[in-house]
Amino acid sequence: MGVHDGHRKRVKDEFLERGLDGIPEHRVLELLLYYSVPQGDVNPLAHRLIEQFGSLAGVLDAPQEELLQVPGIGEHTMTLLKLFPAVGARYLKSRKREGQSIRSTEDARELFAPYFFGQRNEVVCLACLDAKYKLLNVRVLSEGSANGAEITTRKVVEAAFAQNASVLLLAHNHTSGVAVPSEADRQTTRFLAEKLRGLGLYLKDHLVFSDDEAISMYDSGMMDGLY
């Protein structure tokens, strides 16, 4: 066993014993790199990535083409780094199961958060609930650019009727880093709520996400007077 093999084993053992708590970001990245770079010292590469992209999150969120420009990063390593956020999002989604009750704003935040995890573009999601607030389905209605995504009445209605829903929760993200609903968000929500009410559907809330923050338009009083 070489000196690097011994170091790799120590890093792996450290993770298995106490998880990632207290482990520096470059060491976490180093641990990931072991699985795409089977031999040698990857510590300098881990430091180089952190320095270039600013943080572990910056590395995992970096575009594929920018990662491939870093010396020492090939297609296998780039794929591994892009895989981890995608797996994390899928893992979080899989923990929310149909039939769960969505009774509070916190329930709604936890339900929608995985759909915006690591997103670089704006995404619109709809949760369909029955009359007892049991989750029927969550659907991604549209994905746009970094500047916006379209919410159409037709897509909302089609998704709701397909699930025989009674109650709806809408959510989308802002890539600007500010979760405060815009005036356009408020107008769209008001228009949708009125159209849906005429079809016997109740739009309970519209949440706006940005990074780790989420603002409920219902809690913020922005949906007062719609019903």
Side-chain angles (χ1 to χ4, degrees):
M1 178 181 289
V3 61
H4 296 313
D5 292 331
H7 176 68
R8 289 183 176 218
K9 187 176 186 308
R10 286 192 296 273
V11 174
K12 291 177 182 178
D13 289 345
E14 182 181 20
F15 164 67
L16 292 174
E17 288 174 5
R18 63 187 182 104
L20 296 179
D21 289 344
I23 297 180
E25 290 197 335
H26 75 273
R27 186 66 63 80
V28 175
L29 190 54
E30 187 178 353
L31 180 58
L32 296 183
L33 292 172
Y34 291 161
Y35 296 93
S36 62
V37 184
Q39 294 182 334
D41 184 6
V42 296
N43 182 272
L45 178 56
H47 277 285
R48 190 182 308 133
L49 285 165
I50 295 293
E51 289 171 4
Q52 179 159 339
F53 297 106
S55 66
L56 178 62
V59 174
L60 297 179
D61 289 341
Q64 298 178 23
E65 58 273 14
E66 292 185 21
L67 287 170
L68 290 172
Q69 292 175 4
V70 177
I73 297 294
E75 184 175 351
H76 289 306
T77 298
M78 179 274 292
T79 302
L80 178 72
L81 294 175
K82 300 307 297 179
L83 179 64
F84 268 84
V87 171
R90 178 62 67 87
Y91 164 74
L92 291 173
K93 290 176 187 177
S94 73
R95 296 183 66 183
K96 282 295 178 183
R97 299 298 182 187
E98 296 175 3
Q100 288 185 325
S101 292
I102 308 297
R103 286 287 181 180
S104 67
T105 301
E106 187 56 35
D107 289 341
R109 287 194 184 104
E110 291 180 2
L111 173 67
F112 284 121
Y115 291 86
F116 306 115
F117 183 82
Q119 282 289 350
R120 301 175 64 85
N121 295 325
E122 288 203 4
V123 175
V124 179
C125 296
L126 180 75
C128 296
L129 314 178
D130 67 15
K132 295 182 178 180
Y133 288 74
K134 296 285 188 179
L135 178 64
L136 300 171
N137 180 261
V138 178
R139 182 175 296 185
V140 176
L141 294 183
S142 67
E143 180 174 355
S145 66
N147 299 315
E150 185 180 24
I151 304 174
T152 67
T153 304
R154 179 181 62 82
K155 287 185 178 181
V156 173
V157 171
E158 287 179 353
F161 282 171
Q163 297 296 322
N164 293 318
S166 298
V167 180
L168 303 175
L169 298 170
L170 195 65
H172 78 283
N173 62 318
H174 286 173
T175 59
S176 64
V178 179
V180 177
S182 66
E183 182 59 32
D185 293 335
R186 299 186 192 191
Q187 291 179 4
T188 297
T189 302
R190 181 172 294 277
F191 176 82
L192 272 174
E194 292 176 352
K195 291 292 184 181
L196 293 171
R197 178 174 54 189
L199 298 171
L201 297 168
Y202 174 37
L203 181 60
K204 170 67 175 177
D205 202 354
H206 185 172
L207 292 89
V208 181
F209 286 74
S210 186
D211 296 329
D212 296 328
E213 184 182 13
I215 291 180
S216 159
M217 293 179 66
Y218 178 87
D219 287 350
S220 300
M222 298 177 192
M223 301 185 72
D224 289 349
L226 294 184
Y227 298 96

